[in-house]
């Protein structure tokens, strides 16, 4: 079906030796650097935000959490809008620029924002920016990557992205160690970093006109793409797996309930998962290119299943905690970028951004539903049975999802 | 777009401006902080801590810019807004009775950790213990024998609604192991609540065994009466957060959500004998555990909503719903009242 010109070109060179030698496109690395800088910027702020809100501003976290939750749905909607606008304008770069720009601008607004409403508005702006930019950016990555290297390209991008997320908190706390009241300084540095990231995007990422033909992408066409058999199978599978994906916050909470050692090292749990994700994103992407994206995606969920079992196991201590974090890292490395890579090949090029956005939105919404369901189950039957219940359901869902996904990927 | 050389030039310019701006700004901040460290605070100061502490006094976290920022300060009850005397302790949250204070503090670092310190008469730590999470509430029992601390467990991300959890520990000030009171049996209308999302926070002591606190499960919060010896929490009524018992032990002041939007509360006083609730004249949302100045006045911290300041003031309002709120101590947070001699 939807075979572009470059498809057939690379089709001739599909030898393992070539695959090893070839490099990901420069644009992918540039987009990765943009994401790295933006993530440094946003993670700097979010790492210190709880401390800033409670110790400096003096408002309660609970108050903040509730208001913040209201905006989660908006972000999912904006994601589709971003994907569709990118496709329709056939200039995904500029939609991404708007998204990154909104987030960068929100940093400087943080300086003036002191009341809770203002802080919430600023964080919401950041989140909306993120929602807007993700799908068009992924469409750009797909557009500039050779089809046989999609997994690797997304892996490189996600690795750089996660590296930024790891640097951010370190930078913020280093600043705070030097300037104990330097919250404003963190916001200023964060803004400067975001600005440089935006500059890389605007100045160096080529403004490709993606998609063929002259007709603009209509809503009807988008709907047709989204409900087409291959994407439909993938969306159903992604939704099924997403509904059974327990938020990592819940898993960390489970680990923490188990032993006090973990409770005191709590901030490091995120770091542990990120380090695993960071290290594994490229290898998992390469593996996906070699053995099939659907297989790796399914394998990632097997790792997630093991993480549930580890978290539910009665054994505490460093080894079990580390193993759980490693499995979570495997899961993220084998799912986030790999799904984008998989979807990129299933939808026609003109609707690529929308297709990626649709898949990501399905995942976001499914995980949100999962949070509610898991939270409810935890309340009703307790942590341990809830974890095991989700593990059993995931064990049943994985073969079903595998059938759907392998069918979609294989059905060319 | 134009040639690569031009773009590289523009990019170099942007990076240069960004770096120069950051360096300039950080220098400014560093100089200001250095100045502030040597500068006297922007409030009147006295240095006779011992004589202030000898009489009835207020203990609070000073949020005035300058040398004493974040330090625990004291002021006589007779002149709370007057000159304050600083103690050597720095706390994010503090509560005190005569001779004993509990201090929750964040140790900022690459991974920020949190500590609860018990301070002796000299305001130095007689014991320290790590706690999981952000400092939220702290209380000492009337005779200074027990302390209660509430922390927001870190990682229960602020960005994930419904995933918060608190850890509330009660322990002897002597330094023995504190107990996690979330493990106590929670009884609501005769039924035991076993829900895993049960959270308990905001303890206020009656004596060395009994206390009041907030318990929550799902979207409901309750005023609970707890017993340490009985390891039990009994719900008394709904929609009460962060209770604070009056000195005569007849009323509790608390945060009430009512039909306010999420994240907003109205200070309210409950008469424990009649069950009557009186909303106070403070109409701004108060997210704090109140403290009683005496049997007729409630005090609480409020962040100051002005740009560029991370400051707060301690306010006072009559406990009977009349009058208007007034600033009791400017540039202060986390008030505790120490009465008697």
């Amino acid at each position: 079906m939807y075979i572009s010109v470059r498809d057939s070109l690379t089709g001739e060179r599909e030898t393992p030796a070539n695959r090893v030698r070839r490099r990901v496109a420069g644009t992918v690395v540039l987009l990765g650097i943009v994401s790295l800088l933006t993530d440094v910027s946003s993670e700097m702020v979010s790492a210190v935000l709880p401390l800033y809100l409670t110790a400096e501003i003096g408002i309660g976290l609970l108050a903040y959490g509730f208001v913040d939750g209201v905006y989660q749905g908006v972000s999912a909607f904006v994601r589709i809008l971003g994907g569709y606008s990118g496709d329709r304008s056939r200039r995904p770069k500029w939609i991404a620029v708007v998204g990154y720009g909104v987030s960068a601008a929100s940093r400087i607004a943080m300086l003036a924002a002191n009341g809770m409403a203002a802080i919430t508005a600023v964080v919401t702006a950041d989140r909306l920016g993120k929602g807007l930019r993700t799908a068009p950016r992924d469409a750009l990555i797909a557009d500039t990557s050779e089809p046989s290297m999609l997994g690797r390209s997304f892996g490189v991008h996600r690795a750089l992205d996660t590296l930024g997320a790891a640097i951010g908190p370190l930078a913020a706390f280093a600043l705070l160690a030097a300037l104990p009241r330097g919250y404003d300084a963190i916001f200023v540095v964060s803004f400067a970093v975001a600005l440089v990231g935006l500059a890389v995007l605007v100045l160096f990422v080529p403004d490709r006109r993606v998609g063929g033909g002259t007709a603009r992408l209509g809503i009807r066409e988008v709907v047709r793409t989204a409900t087409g058999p291959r994407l439909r199978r993938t969306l159903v599978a992604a939704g099924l797996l997403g509904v059974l994906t327990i938020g990592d916050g819940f898993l960390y909470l489970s680990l923490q309930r188990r032993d006090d050692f973990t409770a005191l090292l709590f901030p490091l749990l995120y770091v542990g998962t990120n380090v695993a994700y960071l290290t594994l994103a490229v290898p998992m992407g390469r593996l996906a290119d070699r053995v099939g994206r659907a297989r790796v995606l399914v394998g990632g969920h097997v790792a997630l299943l093991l993480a549930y079992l580890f978290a539910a196991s009665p054994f505490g201590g460093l080894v079990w905690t580390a193993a759980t974090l490693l499995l979570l890292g495997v899961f993220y490395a084998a799912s986030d970028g790999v799904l984008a890579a998989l979807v990129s090949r299933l939808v026609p090029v003109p609707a690529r951004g929308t297709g990626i956005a649709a898949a990501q939105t399905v995942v976001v919404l499914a995980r949100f539903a999962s949070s509610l369901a898991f939270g409810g189950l935890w309340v009703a039957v307790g942590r341990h049975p809830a974890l095991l219940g989700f593990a059993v359901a995931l064990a049943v869902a994985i073969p079903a999802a595998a059938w759907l996904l392998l069918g979609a990927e294989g059905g060319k | 777009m134009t040639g690569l050389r031009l773009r590289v030039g523009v990019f170099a310019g942007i990076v240069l401006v960004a770096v120069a701006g950051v360096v300039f700004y950080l220098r400014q901040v560093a100089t200001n902080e250095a100045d502030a460290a040597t500068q006297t605070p922007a409030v009147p100061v006295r240095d006779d801590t011992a004589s202030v502490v000898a009489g009835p006094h207020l203990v609070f976290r000073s949020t005035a810019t300058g040398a004493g920022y974040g330090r625990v300060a004291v002021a006589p009850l007779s002149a709370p807004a007057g000159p304050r005397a600083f103690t050597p302790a720095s706390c994010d949250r503090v509560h005190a009775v005569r001779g004993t204070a509990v201090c929750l503090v964040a140790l900022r670092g690459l991974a920020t950790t949190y500590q609860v310190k018990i301070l002796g008469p000299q305001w130095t730590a007689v014991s320290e213990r790590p706690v999981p999470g952000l400092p939220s509430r702290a209380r000492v029992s009337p005779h200074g024998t027990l302390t209660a601390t509430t922390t927001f467990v870190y990682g229960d991300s602020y960005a994930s609604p419904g995933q918060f959890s608190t850890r509330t520990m009660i322990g002897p000030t002597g330094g023995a192991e504190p107990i996690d009171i979330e493990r106590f049996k929670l009884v609501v209308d005769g039924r035991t609540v076993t829900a895993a999302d049960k959270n308990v926070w905001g303890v206020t002591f009656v004596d060395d065994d009994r206390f009041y606190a907030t318990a929550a499960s799902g979207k409901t919060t309750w005023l609970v009466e707890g017993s340490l010896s009985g390891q039990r929490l009994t719900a008394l009524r709904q929609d009460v957060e962060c209770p604070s018992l009056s000195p005569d032990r007849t009323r509790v002041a608390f945060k009430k959500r009512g039909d306010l939007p999420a994240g907003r509360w109205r200070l309210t006083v409950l008469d424990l004998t009649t069950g009557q609730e009186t909303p106070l004249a403070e109409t701004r949302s108060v997210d704090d555990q109140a403290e009683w100045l005496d049997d007729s006045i409630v005090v609480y911290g409020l962040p100051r909503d002005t740009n560029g300041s991370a400051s707060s003031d301690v306010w006072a309002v009559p406990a009977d719903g009349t009058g208007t709120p007034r600033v009791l101590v400017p540039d202060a947070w986390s008030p505790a009242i120490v009465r008697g001699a």
Side-chain angles (χ1 to χ4, degrees):
Chain A
M1 232 167 147
Y2 316 116
I3 292 173
S4 68
V5 178
R6 274 181 300 123
D7 256 350
S8 48
L9 275 179
T10 51
E12 295 166 352
R13 296 191 273 152
E14 285 278 345
T15 64
N18 274 332
R19 195 180 292 128
V20 173
R21 267 210 314 276
R22 272 181 284 138
R23 295 189 169 183
V24 297
T27 301
V28 171
V29 176
L30 283 172
L31 285 170
I33 289 170
V34 173
S35 287
L36 183 150
L37 291 169
T38 304
D39 259 32
V40 167
S41 165
S42 68
E43 291 302 316
M44 274 181 87
V45 172
S46 58
V48 299
L49 207 52
L51 207 58
Y52 179 63
L53 292 176
T54 49
E56 301 294 314
I57 302 272
I59 69 168
L61 279 184
L62 304 189
Y64 178 76
F66 277 110
V67 179
D68 186 58
V70 176
Y71 297 94
Q72 301 280 353
V74 180
S75 179
F77 170 74
V78 165
R79 201 175 276 255
I80 288 275
L81 191 72
Y84 177 68
S85 315
D87 286 340
R88 189 175 164 82
S89 64
R90 279 180 277 131
R91 290 282 176 85
K93 174 182 165 177
W94 293 105
I95 303 299
V97 166
V98 173
Y100 280 107
V102 166
S103 289
S106 79
R107 303 272 165 262
I108 208 72
M110 197 78 195
L111 273 179
N114 252 31
M116 177 169 127
I119 288 171
T120 310
V122 166
V123 176
T124 304
D126 180 46
R127 205 135 304 151
L128 290 183
K130 188 177 172 61
L132 201 58
R133 74 193 175 224
T134 306
R137 179 202 63 210
D138 282 353
L140 266 181
I141 294 173
D143 189 60
T144 48
S145 301
E146 292 178 18
S148 67
M149 296 182 55
L150 272 173
R152 196 166 154 191
S153 294
F154 277 105
V156 167
H157 175 268
R158 296 305 197 258
L160 286 168
D161 186 82
T162 310
L163 181 62
I167 294 173
L170 295 180
F173 285 118
L175 258 177
L176 215 49
L179 305 166
R181 290 199 58 212
Y183 289 96
D184 281 357
I186 287 172
F187 302 143
V188 168
V189 173
S190 164
F191 173 68
V193 174
L195 199 65
V196 173
L198 190 62
V200 173
L201 176 65
V202 171
L203 294 169
F204 298 116
V205 172
D207 177 23
R208 293 174 73 107
R209 254 183 176 283
V210 301
T214 48
R216 288 204 152 191
L217 184 69
I219 292 277
R220 204 171 301 159
E221 201 175 329
V222 168
V223 172
R224 203 180 308 135
T225 307
T227 54
R230 296 174 74 197
L231 188 60
R232 189 173 59 214
R233 286 177 82 112
T234 308
L235 294 184
V236 170
L240 181 65
L241 293 172
V243 159
L244 297 172
T245 303
I246 303 173
D248 48 358
F250 276 123
L251 280 178
Y252 297 145
L253 259 180
S254 295
L255 294 175
Q256 173 191 266
R257 290 274 161 119
R258 195 169 61 192
D259 49 71
D260 280 340
F261 143 78
T262 313
L264 296 174
L265 294 176
F266 213 88
L268 293 180
L269 297 186
Y270 288 93
V271 177
T273 305
N274 270 346
V275 168
Y277 180 12
L278 173 67
T279 326
L280 294 169
V282 177
M284 283 295 169
R286 294 181 66 162
L287 188 68
D289 291 335
R290 196 164 308 161
V291 304
R293 282 134 209 161
R295 281 209 181 100
V296 170
L297 192 59
V298 170
H301 284 83
V302 173
L304 181 68
L305 173 61
L306 287 174
Y308 292 178
L309 296 177
F310 277 35
S313 81
F315 314 110
L318 182 64
V319 173
W320 287 89
T321 301
T324 312
L325 299 184
L326 179 68
L327 284 167
L328 265 184
V330 170
F331 163 68
Y332 283 115
S335 57
D336 184 24
V338 174
L339 178 66
L342 175 69
V343 172
S344 308
R345 298 281 289 124
L346 298 182
V347 292
V349 170
R352 205 181 246 160
T354 315
I356 293 173
Q360 288 171 344
T361 304
V362 164
V363 170
V364 168
L365 293 179
R367 285 188 187 168
F368 187 66
S370 159
S371 276
L372 295 180
F374 185 78
L377 202 60
W378 181 326
V379 170
V381 300
R383 169 182 82 88
H384 198 250
L387 269 172
L388 289 180
F390 264 67
V392 169
L394 187 59
V396 173
I398 285 175
W403 174 74
L404 284 166
L405 287 171
L406 292 170
E409 193 179 40
K412 294 184 181 180
Chain B
M1 189 165 285
T2 36
L4 182 65
R5 186 173 293 187
L6 179 62
R7 280 181 287 153
V8 171
V10 172
F11 180 69
I14 289 173
V15 171
L16 205 67
V17 168
V19 170
V22 163
V23 168
F24 177 76
Y25 184 84
L26 289 184
R27 272 199 155 171
Q28 203 84 342
V29 173
T31 323
N32 286 348
E33 289 222 1
D35 285 354
T38 55
Q39 233 170 43
T40 44
V43 284
V45 174
R46 53 196 288 175
D47 54 10
D48 53 340
T49 313
S51 69
V52 174
V53 170
H57 61 278
L58 272 132
V59 177
F60 53 89
R61 176 184 202 243
S62 177
T63 55
T65 51
Y69 182 85
R71 291 254 293 280
V72 174
V74 291
L77 274 191
S78 54
R84 60 188 61 178
F86 285 97
T87 73
S90 282
C91 308
D92 292 318
R93 196 25 100 169
V94 64
H95 191 257
V97 296
R98 187 160 297 281
T100 303
V102 59
C103 166
L104 279 169
V105 64
L107 306 172
R108 295 160 173 88
L110 291 186
T112 302
T113 56
Y114 308 91
Q115 269 194 333
V116 52
K117 297 181 181 181
I118 308 294
L119 308 178
Q122 302 308 311
W123 303 96
T124 49
V126 292
S127 78
E128 292 177 354
R129 180 186 298 282
V131 281
L134 293 153
S136 174
R137 307 287 180 234
R139 276 293 185 272
V140 191
S141 68
H143 302 297
T145 42
L146 294 170
T147 56
T149 58
T150 300
T151 52
F152 287 118
V153 176
Y154 201 144
D156 302 1
S157 167
Y158 67 90
S160 310
Q163 290 190 22
F164 77 83
S165 109
T166 55
R167 183 74 61 94
T168 295
M169 316 282 280
I170 295 184
T173 41
E177 279 296 311
I179 314 169
D180 179 354
I181 62 168
E182 269 168 45
R183 298 189 179 148
F184 285 13
K185 187 172 178 176
L186 170 61
V187 180
V188 179
D189 299 329
R191 277 191 313 226
T192 305
V193 175
T194 52
D197 73 337
K198 168 171 94 176
N199 278 299
V200 181
W201 69 90
V203 168
T204 182
F205 287 102
V206 181
D207 51 37
D208 288 344
D209 182 54
R210 285 200 306 142
F211 59 90
Y212 294 99
T214 319
S217 176
K219 288 189 158 46
T220 318
T221 61
W222 296 279
L223 172 68
V224 293
E225 187 177 353
S227 160
L228 279 180
S229 56
Q231 305 242 322
R232 184 184 160 99
L233 305 167
T234 312
L236 300 182
R237 65 192 293 129
Q238 283 193 17
D239 198 10
V240 172
E241 287 181 58
C242 298
S244 176
L245 188 64
S246 64
D248 63 10
R249 301 182 189 179
T250 60
R251 286 154 295 158
V252 288
F254 61 95
K255 287 159 56 183
K256 183 183 171 70
R257 165 96 187 271
D259 29 9
L260 294 169
R264 297 189 66 82
W265 292 273
R266 177 78 180 263
L267 264 191
T268 304
V269 166
L270 166 72
D271 189 313
L272 287 167
T273 44
T274 65
Q276 193 188 331
E277 285 185 7
T278 311
L280 302 191
E282 175 59 82
T283 51
R284 290 169 295 183
S285 179
V286 174
D287 185 1
D288 192 18
Q289 184 168 19
E291 174 80 334
W292 292 74
L293 185 64
D294 51 40
D295 283 325
S296 57
I297 303 280
V298 168
V299 301
Y300 49 91
L302 262 184
R304 198 180 300 160
D305 217 4
T306 48
N307 286 351
S309 93
S311 195
S312 52
D313 305 300
V314 168
W315 290 71
V317 71
D320 60 3
T322 63
T324 47
R326 63 187 167 94
V327 172
L328 184 70
V329 191
D331 298 298
W333 176 248
S334 192
I337 314 293
V338 181
R339 297 177 198 87

